[in-house]
Amino acid sequence: MSPQRRAGLGTNQEAVRRHNLGTLLRHVHGAGQISRAELTSLMGLNRSTIAGLVGELESLGISERAMPADGPRQGAGRPSAGVRIAAEGPFVIAVDLGVDRAVVARVGLGGRVLERAQAPVHSDGEAWQVGAAVAALIRRVVEGAPAAAPLVGIGISVPGLVRRNDGLIRLAPNLEWHDVSFGGIVLAALGLDVPVSLANDADLGALAEHIRGAGVGIDDLIYVSGNVGVGAGVITGGVRLEGAGGYAGEVGHLRFNPQGRPCHCGNRGCWETEVGGHAIAEAISCPPDKVAQLDEVLEGYTTPTPELRATGTALGHGLASIVNTFNPRLIVLGGYFRSLYPLVRGEVNAGLADRALPAPLESVTLALPGLGSDSALLGAAEIALEPLFVDPVAALGSALVDVGSLLAV
Amino acid sequence: MSPQRRAGLGTNQEAVRRHNLGTLLRHVHGAGQISRAELTSLMGLNRSTIAGLVGELESLGISERAMPADGPRQGAGRPSAGVRIAAEGPFVIAVDLGVDRAVVARVGLGGRVLERAQAPVHSDGEAWQVGAAVAALIRRVVEGAPAAAPLVGIGISVPGLVRRNDGLIRLAPNLEWHDVSFGGIVLAALGLDVPVSLANDADLGALAEHIRGAGVGIDDLIYVSGNVGVGAGVITGGVRLEGAGGYAGEVGHLRFNPQGRPCHCGNRGCWETEVGGHAIAEAISCPPDKVAQLDEVLEGYTTPTPELRATGTALGHGLASIVNTFNPRLIVLGGYFRSLYPLVRGEVNAGLADRALPAPLESVTLALPGLGSDSALLGAAEIALEPLFVDPVAALGSALVDVGSLLAV
DNA sequence: CGTTCCCGTCCTCTCGCACAACAAATTCTG
DNA sequence: CAGAATTTGTTGTGCGAGAGGACGGGAACG
């Protein structure tokens, strides 16, 4: 959003152009197709300036001219030509690393999934084995890419704590990884050198839901991901909350019940011991080896068991703490909560209303992900695309063309 | 930091100038006095551009030329002239509203307290009575202001929930206020019309500590204010965390002990029932009517009682939740915690280390406020000054000159 | 005491956006 | 159905802001 990364810097004319070009692209990316007239009013710039920016984007091969969007006009006047993402424009690779499977997609600007592949991952697998599997999936989705289309980068969603400086995976409890440089592993397996970004899955879920999911236009939202572990991604004031090291949002280890069950973190009664995957499984007597398919099992229920209702209340109580600390306008319930919430909506809402302060409670809404189970995947695409919005020219400069043949075996 | 308020807008040349002028002033404000050479390197702009900006600031009467700062030179070359805040430059009124007293100060750019006054406030006072008392204090501190110096605005720190859109005090539990428009009340009592900003005391404490306290240069910090209630102000990525309505940071009502004491919010065992003013008072058998002087009572201790040590542990455990959710680099302990922490440092640190996740724990530090008990007051000055850094020219345009005679009875 | 280094000032240049005028494309209206 | 009204795209001009170089000033260093 800002023309410079570090605060306190001045702005020169070069930065203005970069910023405007990036912001324009961000709008096209967000809307898929947009008219130049809408761009003028959105960005508050002159028609002629927009024309110049659009022209530069076209000459970079990022966007292309489109026919005016047909539909009900809202008045007289010449219809405004459309700007849309070029068919052979830049793309990224998005990776959603789960505890039992990896999903890889080739994603273009505008958030379109152009190709997708997935494979199971052994939860006791070594990092290099997983990296090789991911690399194989990447080769597969890149195969059909047009030779002219540049690869901007790779974004990876990780179920764990990721250091934001360098993308090191500090801890992925359910993969049993400590201090794994997964980005480097994947690049080595590919034999490529492109920008790689890694981030926590809940953080990326929040980002994706903010840009093109249930939270479009909402600048303060939280994505709560309920998997085996529970985490939250926070968007506040329209930007990601990262924290000093990038570990912000670990709400799964909020103190919930001091007399509760021991948690893998060493404490007792963390929130995730009451509402995480294992707790839900226990509530419906699901055998531990089927926790990975918990969502399918939950889909089978039409009425909740008393134990599930208690879990719903615990979920609401925990969400109340989140509402009190972050005061979001929207909470998106992802992961297993996506299947759980419809069953125990009443209990969750009641638990939340019971424990949250009135002021922050009155403006908050609970919702399911608008992107289904793809939130983290599309969020991974977003962080990989991010450099394009900061400086389109520079990002294209460090992109790779003809990746298909580069990766051909 | 950004040249435009709303995201998604473009930047034109006017905005560039505004941004650069504001950023320059922010640097002068932060450093008190700074050389033009430092400004060039900090802002990354050309010498001649800085000269132009400094000249404009001088002609606006905001800054003035200063002799080169004497001290150890770091090399040869012509010494760089200094830029410092003008003696008769713009100022603001800062108000720190407490449950038992109000402090009012006239504060200039650079954060200098030019005048200060305070008065007791009855905790069962009506809002208009408190407003009248504050107005009287304001008249007193404005009396000696130079006629040429413009009043930019009034900033008020409130021990409660403040709506960020309009500054309405939604709830100030210890003043027993609900939905009070205190800004309007004070303005009416003064018979003036200047910009008034209100915010939560912990939020302002965090802001002040970030700009000129213990957290200078630290972009992810939390100010935990332990008074009768417990709240937190959060700076993340260098900006204030506000939340959708402005209520973010109400960590006092984090679930701590489900079997604990009832809290005024209606729940049981909120964190502030274990570490708030009343809990501390109980731990040292301080009579309830002396809770307001709790810090003085605490100063009298040299070794903690076992009850105080337990409170320290509870403080550490709660801070662990804060560390896990926000991943700050610094936590500043304000309010009564300022007196409590030195007594039970070991217990707090141990409780924190015991419950926080290793990754966010390793980079966090606990500290006492660098501004003593003035954090919230100086934070109030900062939000009142804020418009100057966004657009100095516009802010001066809406400022009032010769306030001294305007307010004379 | 001269050299070196750095800073402030002045001037010119470049670049990006705004603005105005005109052409083009569609809707509205009589 | 034709002309007016409206909105947009295009083009050329102007303005403003920062960059960059030339010059002189002031202090440290040898």
Side-chain angles (χ1 to χ4, degrees):
Chain A
M1 300 296 152
S2 171
Q4 64 279 329
R5 311 288 297 177
R6 273 177 43 215
L9 267 73
T11 305
N12 55 21
Q13 295 191 101
E14 198 188 328
V16 170
R17 185 67 171 185
R18 261 205 311 271
H19 169 73
N20 285 347
L21 200 59
T23 305
L24 182 73
L25 181 54
R26 201 185 284 272
H27 280 122
V28 180
H29 169 65
Q33 170 158 346
I34 189 168
S35 75
R36 298 157 80 128
E38 289 173 288
L39 287 169
T40 16
S41 82
L42 278 172
M43 294 184 59
L45 299 179
N46 193 280
R47 279 210 301 270
S48 55
T49 307
I50 295 291
L53 293 167
V54 168
E56 185 164 353
L57 231 46
E58 277 171 19
S59 72
L60 286 170
I62 297 180
S63 73
E64 60 190 17
R65 249 191 128 95
M67 292 275 75
D70 44 339
R73 299 250 180 291
Q74 63 263 32
R78 173 177 175 175
S80 187
V83 181
R84 71 154 170 252
I85 299 301
E88 304 208 344
F91 68 91
V92 296
I93 301 295
V95 179
D96 178 10
L97 197 59
V99 291
D100 60 329
R101 53 118 192 74
V103 184
V104 173
R106 178 160 61 88
V107 183
L109 271 167
R112 271 186 315 174
V113 175
L114 304 166
E115 200 91 39
R116 166 197 288 264
Q118 70 176 69
V121 162
H122 291 289
S123 65
D124 56 348
E126 296 282 328
W128 66 267
Q129 292 173 313
V130 179
V134 166
L137 292 172
I138 291 179
R139 280 175 206 276
R140 210 190 301 167
V141 299
V142 152
E143 218 168 88
L151 170 62
V152 175
I154 301 178
I156 305 181
S157 161
V158 178
L161 300 178
V162 179
R163 194 200 286 165
R164 75 164 167 180
N165 291 339
D166 53 3
L168 183 77
I169 301 179
R170 292 299 310 281
L171 172 67
N174 302 305
L175 292 167
E176 294 180 21
W177 288 2
H178 296 263
D179 293 328
V180 171
S181 173
F182 192 66
I185 291 175
V186 171
L187 281 188
L190 286 173
L192 282 187
D193 188 23
V194 286
V196 185
S197 316
L198 292 92
N200 174 269
D201 53 355
D203 289 0
L204 293 179
L207 181 62
E209 292 292 327
H210 174 56
I211 295 181
R212 50 184 80 256
V216 171
I218 298 179
D219 276 350
D220 298 272
L221 70 88
I222 296 185
Y223 179 94
V224 181
S225 126
N227 291 308
V228 175
V230 174
V234 181
I235 304 275
T236 171
V239 299
R240 284 203 290 153
L241 174 74
E242 295 192 285
Y247 314 123
E250 284 301 316
V251 296
H253 300 282
L254 280 176
R255 182 185 175 107
F256 192 80
N257 179 6
Q259 275 87 47
R261 278 167 285 196
C263 177
H264 71 83
C265 76
N267 296 323
R268 258 184 192 284
C270 295
W271 188 36
E272 74 176 44
T273 66
E274 308 265 338
V275 299
H278 290 302
I280 300 176
E282 192 175 313
I284 56 176
S285 307
C286 166
D289 58 313
K290 293 200 68 178
V291 170
Q293 288 82 42
L294 195 56
D295 36 10
E296 295 165 23
V297 179
L298 281 171
E299 303 285 348
Y301 282 75
T302 51
T303 53
T305 65
E307 290 81 10
L308 268 185
R309 297 164 70 111
T311 307
T313 303
L315 179 54
H317 285 170
L319 291 179
S321 287
I322 293 179
V323 166
N324 289 346
T325 43
F326 290 108
N327 182 23
R329 212 156 78 72
L330 178 75
I331 296 183
V332 179
L333 296 166
Y336 300 142
F337 296 158
R338 201 157 62 89
S339 313
L340 175 65
Y341 180 56
L343 287 174
V344 293
R345 198 179 288 259
E347 285 75 13
V348 176
N349 291 345
L352 171 61
D354 192 38
R355 293 284 205 272
L357 294 172
L361 177 66
E362 71 190 15
S363 60
V364 74
T365 316
L366 303 189
L368 294 174
L371 303 170
S373 56
D374 278 350
S375 305
L377 181 72
L378 291 175
E382 292 299 332
I383 49 163
L385 287 168
E386 187 65 27
L388 274 176
F389 309 132
V390 175
D391 187 347
V393 179
L396 280 187
S398 64
L400 283 182
V401 287
D402 200 10
V403 192
S405 63
L406 274 179
L407 285 183
V409 254
Chain B
M1 299 296 152
S2 173
Q4 64 279 331
R5 310 289 297 176
R6 273 178 42 215
L9 268 73
T11 305
N12 55 21
Q13 295 192 105
E14 199 189 327
V16 169
R17 185 67 172 185
R18 260 206 310 272
H19 169 73
N20 285 348
L21 201 59
T23 305
L24 183 77
L25 181 54
R26 200 184 287 271
H27 280 123
V28 179
H29 169 65
Q33 169 158 348
I34 189 169
S35 75
R36 300 156 79 127
E38 288 172 289
L39 287 169
T40 28
S41 83
L42 278 172
M43 295 184 59
L45 299 179
N46 194 281
R47 276 210 303 265
S48 53
T49 307
I50 294 293
L53 292 167
V54 168
E56 184 163 354
L57 230 46
E58 277 171 19
S59 72
L60 286 170
I62 297 180
S63 73
E64 61 189 18
R65 250 190 128 95
M67 291 275 76
D70 45 338
R73 297 253 181 291
Q74 63 262 32
R78 173 177 172 175
S80 185
V83 182
R84 70 153 172 252
I85 300 300
E88 304 207 344
F91 67 91
V92 296
I93 301 295
V95 179
D96 178 11
L97 198 58
V99 290
D100 60 329
R101 53 119 191 73
V103 184
V104 173
R106 179 159 60 90
V107 182
L109 271 165
R112 271 186 316 172
V113 175
L114 304 165
E115 201 90 39
R116 165 198 288 262
Q118 71 176 68
V121 162
H122 290 290
S123 65
D124 55 350
E126 296 283 328
W128 68 267
Q129 292 173 311
V130 178
V134 166
L137 291 172
I138 291 178
R139 281 175 206 277
R140 210 190 301 166
V141 299
V142 152
E143 218 168 89
L151 170 62
V152 175
I154 302 178
I156 306 181
S157 161
V158 178
L161 300 178
V162 179
R163 194 198 291 168
R164 74 164 168 181
N165 292 340
D166 53 4
L168 183 77
I169 301 179
R170 292 299 310 279
L171 172 67
N174 301 305
L175 292 167
E176 293 179 21
W177 288 2
H178 296 262
D179 293 329
V180 171
S181 174
F182 191 66
I185 291 175
V186 171
L187 282 188
L190 285 173
L192 280 189
D193 188 23
V194 285
V196 185
S197 317
L198 293 93
N200 174 269
D201 53 356
D203 289 359
L204 294 180
L207 182 62
E209 291 292 328
H210 174 56
I211 295 180
R212 53 184 78 256
V216 171
I218 297 178
D219 275 350
D220 298 271
L221 70 87
I222 296 184
Y223 180 93
V224 181
S225 125
N227 291 308
V228 175
V230 174
V234 181
I235 303 276
T236 171
V239 299
R240 283 203 291 154
L241 174 74
E242 295 190 285
Y247 314 123
E250 283 303 315
V251 296
H253 300 281
L254 280 176
R255 182 184 175 106
F256 192 79
N257 179 7
Q259 275 86 46
R261 279 167 283 196
C263 178
H264 70 84
C265 76
N267 296 322
R268 255 182 196 285
C270 294
W271 188 37
E272 75 177 42
T273 67
E274 308 265 339
V275 300
H278 291 301
I280 300 176
E282 192 173 315
I284 56 175
S285 308
C286 166
D289 59 312
K290 292 201 66 178
V291 169
Q293 287 83 42
L294 195 56
D295 36 10
E296 295 164 22
V297 180
L298 280 170
E299 303 284 348
Y301 282 76
T302 51
T303 53
T305 65
E307 290 81 10
L308 268 185
R309 297 163 70 112
T311 307
T313 303
L315 179 55
H317 285 170
L319 291 179
S321 287
I322 294 178
V323 166
N324 289 345
T325 44
F326 290 108
N327 183 22
R329 213 156 79 71
L330 178 74
I331 296 183
V332 179
L333 297 166
Y336 300 142
F337 295 158
R338 203 157 62 90
S339 312
L340 174 66
Y341 180 56
L343 286 174
V344 292
R345 197 179 288 260
E347 284 76 12
V348 176
N349 290 344
L352 170 62
D354 193 37
R355 292 285 205 271
L357 294 172
L361 176 66
E362 69 190 17
S363 59
V364 74
T365 317
L366 303 189
L368 295 175
L371 304 170
S373 56
D374 278 350
S375 306
L377 181 73
L378 291 175
E382 292 298 332
I383 51 164
L385 287 169
E386 188 64 26
L388 274 176
F389 308 132
V390 174
D391 187 347
V393 179
L396 280 187
S398 64
L400 283 182
V401 286
D402 201 9
V403 191
S405 63
L406 274 179
L407 285 183
V409 256

